[in-house]
Amino acid sequence: MRKSALLPALILGAVMAPVLGGCSLEPVYAGGGSGAVAQGLSAIEVAPIPGRSGWLMRDALNQRMGNGGGSARYRLDVVLDDQLTGLGLLGDDTIGRERRTLRARYRLVDLASGETLLDATDGADAGIDVVSSEYATIAAEQTALENLTDDVADSIVTRVSTTLRQQMQPQVEDQ
């Protein structure tokens, strides 16, 4: 970084530090792998999800949450809706473009109480060019599914982490 660019950054940091310091923001993953949220994520059992997209989603979620295979405190139930829609008709009445949509409806359940801590929906879409090679089109559809699964899994883990963080914060009573 050049000195001329470094100086404004230092000034901005010095001005904003007192402002941000008083807002009590904390990182979600405070404490790293031994922090409360990381421990909560590793205590989540992802229920089996049917189909190829379900296998991909369950694997992606387990990888992101660090499922250690220990005793589960929570269960994550996921229902997927994977749609492939043809768009853009060409002059010869063939489809020139497809849209793959992956939606996930999920619930985080506390196994001890049976209480639903989170009930939400996330999703992602991808456009696919349909080319003359059927193999290339099928490969593009599969790659789109893998990428959409990663995107939706990231969204799910972020929302679950936020929910766990809120559950673990001490409740402040109204005065």
Side-chain angles (χ1 to χ4, degrees):
M1 185 181 273
R2 296 185 335 220
K3 284 184 181 183
S4 61
L6 182 59
L7 185 58
L10 289 174
I11 293 171
L12 181 61
V15 170
M16 293 304 291
V19 173
L20 292 177
C23 72
S24 71
L25 287 177
E26 291 182 32
V28 171
Y29 296 107
S34 61
V37 172
Q39 294 295 321
L41 286 174
S42 67
I44 295 175
E45 171 194 347
V46 180
I49 309 167
R52 183 177 196 284
S53 58
W55 178 84
L56 288 168
M57 180 61 71
R58 187 168 190 244
D59 185 55
L61 289 169
N62 282 330
Q63 286 179 9
R64 283 161 177 74
M65 293 188 294
N67 190 336
S71 63
R73 182 175 173 195
Y74 307 100
R75 184 184 70 241
L76 185 64
D77 297 320
V78 181
V79 177
L80 293 178
D81 181 24
D82 179 21
Q83 299 289 324
L84 189 61
T85 308
L87 305 169
L89 286 176
L90 300 176
D92 59 354
D93 288 334
T94 59
I95 295 173
R97 189 121 172 103
E98 293 177 333
R99 175 180 173 179
R100 184 153 219 161
T101 305
L102 183 65
R103 299 280 179 256
R105 171 80 189 257
Y106 54 96
R107 290 179 6 165
L108 181 65
V109 178
D110 185 330
L111 293 176
S113 66
E115 178 186 3
T116 298
L117 304 176
L118 174 65
D119 188 352
T121 303
D122 276 307
D125 303 273
I128 303 164
D129 287 327
V130 177
V131 295
S132 60
S133 168
E134 188 175 332
Y135 174 78
T137 301
I138 291 170
E141 291 169 355
Q142 295 305 313
T143 300
L145 177 60
E146 292 166 8
N147 292 338
L148 291 173
T149 300
D150 287 340
D151 290 347
V152 174
D154 287 340
S155 296
I156 291 172
V157 171
T158 298
R159 289 183 81 176
V160 167
S161 298
T162 304
T163 300
L164 290 175
R165 179 75 174 155
Q166 290 170 349
Q167 289 291 317
M168 295 172 186
Q169 288 179 342
Q171 301 297 322
V172 179
E173 294 183 25
D174 293 330
Q175 296 179 356

